[in-house]
Amino acid sequence: MGGKNSKQRSSGINTHSSGSRGLGFAGSSTSRSFGGGVVGSKQAEDRTKGMPGGAQISGLLDAVRDADPSALAEAASLLHRYMSAIVKSPKDDKYRKIRKGNTAFQNKLSPIDGIELLFEAVGFESVNLPSQDGVSEPYFVLPSTANVDVIKTAETLLKEFLTDQFVA
């Protein structure tokens, strides 16, 4: 995500003709839709009972299970690192801001349709912040008022997801 001449990405949300929203990999046929944008299932609710934000986060992760395993492993691993850093240092601003234009984000997370839904589910906000040269850049920022327990839930579910998905 660069300046005015850079190629613009979609919002990351698949909007289906039914008006529902889905999560999947860009250009893939593996996205699943969830009626009215409500993400989660009875199974996810049962599995995550008592975990703040758990059913929604789990539902979003379940939506991409059939995607390319290599890309999915890299994306989930990066997300887990982001969440772990916040859990370990919840007051440290450097972990609460993720520049959408950084190489790791662009290569591993941007290809996932619906990634914004996942970041929003854990409390991040999409904002533009000025860079050192004064140009505005897009970031995900976790406000200081965000519930860190939801981040802990995401960290736990991502760890389980990585273990369940990639360990035979």
Side-chain angles (χ1 to χ4, degrees):
M1 305 270 221
K4 289 182 181 178
N5 295 327
S6 69
K7 184 177 177 182
Q8 293 294 315
R9 286 198 168 287
S10 70
S11 67
I13 301 170
N14 285 339
T15 303
H16 302 280
S17 58
S18 66
S20 62
R21 293 157 59 161
L23 180 72
F25 279 79
S28 77
S29 60
T30 59
S31 64
R32 297 182 188 161
S33 61
F34 298 90
V38 177
V39 178
S41 66
K42 179 70 173 138
Q43 233 178 358
E45 288 175 28
D46 291 345
R47 185 171 68 236
T48 59
K49 190 171 186 153
M51 298 174 90
Q56 185 177 20
I57 296 164
S58 182
L60 288 165
L61 292 173
D62 285 346
V64 297
R65 284 195 187 273
D66 296 330
D68 174 53
S70 175
L72 186 57
E74 289 181 357
S77 180
L78 180 58
L79 282 168
H80 183 260
R81 279 186 300 217
Y82 284 155
M83 299 305 131
S84 293
I86 294 167
V87 168
K88 288 176 186 162
S89 302
K91 305 268 188 225
D92 193 334
D93 281 343
K94 90 175 179 184
Y95 299 122
R96 298 175 79 91
K97 289 191 286 190
I98 300 167
R99 190 171 58 86
K100 294 180 186 182
N102 83 41
T103 303
F105 188 94
Q106 285 295 306
N107 292 339
K108 297 176 183 178
L109 297 176
S110 284
I112 302 174
D113 271 351
I115 194 64
E116 295 210 10
L117 289 174
L118 186 57
F119 276 96
E120 290 169 6
V122 298
F124 281 87
E125 297 174 355
S126 186
V127 299
N128 287 317
L129 298 174
S131 65
Q132 291 177 342
D133 60 2
V135 176
S136 183
E137 292 187 79
Y139 280 79
F140 279 119
V141 176
L142 186 67
S144 60
T145 57
N147 184 349
V148 177
D149 288 338
V150 176
I151 300 294
K152 289 177 184 175
T153 295
E155 179 194 32
T156 299
L157 293 175
L158 282 160
K159 184 175 182 179
E160 289 175 9
F161 180 81
L162 285 164
T163 302
D164 292 349
Q165 190 74 9
F166 304 107
V167 176

